[in-house]
Amino acid sequence: MPELPEVEVLRRSLQRRVIGRRIEHIAVHDERLREPVRTHQLAARLSGRRIVALRRRAKYLLLDVERGNTLVIHLGMSGRVTLVGSDEPREAHEHVAFLLDGGKRLRLRDPRRFGLVFAASTEGLENDRHFAGLGVEPLGPELSGSALASAARGRKAPVKSFLMDGRAVVGLGNIYATESLFRAGIHPRRSVARMSRQSWTELARAIRAVLKQAIEEGGTTLNDFTDGAGKSGYFQVSLAVYGREGDPCPRCGRPVRRIVQSGRASFYCPGCQR
DNA sequence: CGGGCGGCCTGGAGGC
DNA sequence: TGCCTCCAGGCCGCCC
């Protein structure tokens, strides 16, 4: 489900309400996520400690707690984190819950169980196997046309796969890779070996613009994404081509096409994207 | 090593 | 109504 904008919207919506809260208890109802949830490790690193910061790296939500530990949450395809009252009944697929002081509960619901929850030392977290090898943050200062171009050196992959695999730039999944390529006027099948300097620059600019707008609009709610308070996003109405096969291109009016690239749907305008 | 594909899961949508 | 198939926002491991 969630790509960078959704995780960022979640982070912002939770930030003010969980900073300073103490984690009093951790309830693991189902440990069978992408990797087995290590209940004891969560308790040892997090229990009794206050949350001091909320950060995001790629599509991971990071909750730093006192004494140098971090709770790492990845939402996979169907994960959803919300802050509710502690007396709220457990909902279906609520696999992990963090009881906070002040009568609150931070809950993780994840029907497909592709999500991930673990705790680790804050220091050196960037060297953890989940983070090592990730590319630059698209909204940070490092993203540029030349950064993308140099990451593409020696590669031949289609530019859409290149955007989605996270080695050059992180945070783009199927929706935002698709929308960024539309905005930059680049065909999703174009090989990264055949990109001009100008195209790389336009692509970097398009990525930033698309992600920023999506965050401002509260993320994309196709099925059930919500922020930490349960609020839906509305970027889905701003999608130009994603999920719009046959609809007129908002720029030139030609029908949007759907193709499949390495098992994933891609959408593009045959007139605007070459 | 790069690139493509299947697998991991469940639920919702659509066809019959 | 029910049953079946297909599809889904991510990621990893395996294969060539």
Side-chain angles (χ1 to χ4, degrees):
Chain A
M1 166 172 52
E3 304 180 31
L4 182 149
E6 289 74 37
V7 180
E8 181 61 21
V9 165
L10 173 64
R11 188 190 71 80
R12 294 180 186 185
S13 71
L14 287 176
Q15 182 152 251
R16 299 179 66 104
R17 300 188 304 151
V18 303
I19 298 283
R21 295 269 74 81
R22 188 184 302 279
I23 298 175
E24 291 182 332
H25 181 69
I26 302 163
V28 176
H29 303 292
D30 191 339
E31 64 189 21
R32 298 170 303 158
L33 298 187
R34 193 169 89 219
E35 297 171 15
V37 178
R38 303 193 50 196
T39 307
H40 176 75
Q41 184 196 54
L42 292 179
R45 291 188 180 273
L46 307 172
S47 277
R49 307 187 193 195
R50 290 182 189 281
I51 298 168
V52 296
L54 257 67
R55 297 180 292 142
R56 180 192 54 72
R57 170 69 173 127
K59 299 170 190 167
Y60 294 86
L61 179 67
L62 310 176
L63 296 91
D64 296 332
V65 302
E66 293 170 321
R67 290 190 279 148
N69 282 286
T70 298
L71 166 62
V72 180
I73 299 177
H74 191 285
L75 300 176
M77 290 277 262
S78 58
R80 179 165 166 179
V81 169
T82 46
L83 187 68
V84 297
S86 53
D87 52 353
E88 191 83 5
R90 178 151 76 96
E91 65 181 349
H93 307 291
E94 179 177 336
H95 303 315
V96 184
F98 301 86
L99 295 181
L100 309 180
D101 63 2
K104 296 290 185 184
R105 179 164 102 247
L106 192 68
R107 65 179 176 192
L108 171 66
R109 169 193 140 94
D110 185 4
R112 291 172 73 180
R113 293 192 276 110
F114 290 166
L116 181 63
V117 176
F118 67 97
S121 168
T122 306
E123 192 176 321
L125 193 61
E126 64 277 10
N127 302 317
D128 179 276
R129 66 188 164 86
H130 299 93
F131 300 98
L134 290 183
V136 302
E137 283 291 327
L139 298 179
E142 310 100 328
L143 180 69
S144 64
S146 54
L148 292 176
S150 68
R153 211 149 289 150
R155 299 187 55 181
K156 297 174 181 176
V159 62
K160 181 174 179 241
S161 311
F162 173 83
L163 290 182
M164 283 181 66
D165 78 16
R167 284 184 283 170
V169 57
V170 299
L172 298 168
N174 208 20
I175 292 177
Y176 297 108
T178 295
E179 291 293 308
S180 297
L181 288 168
F182 171 78
R183 188 164 313 210
I186 298 166
H187 194 292
R189 282 217 232 262
R190 168 119 53 108
S191 165
V192 295
R194 295 181 21 248
M195 291 272 290
S196 66
R197 190 140 219 96
Q198 166 86 354
S199 294
W200 284 122
T201 302
E202 280 166 14
L203 183 53
R205 192 175 301 139
I207 289 168
R208 278 180 193 283
V210 166
L211 295 181
K212 277 188 183 172
Q213 186 186 345
I215 291 168
E216 282 166 16
E217 297 185 3
T220 300
T221 300
L222 291 186
N223 273 321
D224 62 355
F225 166 75
T226 66
D227 70 9
K231 209 170 117 217
S232 294
Y234 53 96
F235 188 72
Q236 61 275 12
V237 306
S238 299
L239 295 172
V241 290
Y242 183 87
R244 302 205 187 281
E245 181 184 19
D247 289 358
C249 165
R251 190 184 290 154
C252 78
R254 289 180 63 174
V256 169
R257 284 196 191 154
R258 180 186 190 273
I259 57 175
V260 174
Q261 291 181 273
S262 46
R264 314 297 301 276
S266 287
F267 302 86
Y268 70 99
C269 169
C272 299
Q273 294 174 261
R274 301 296 183 174

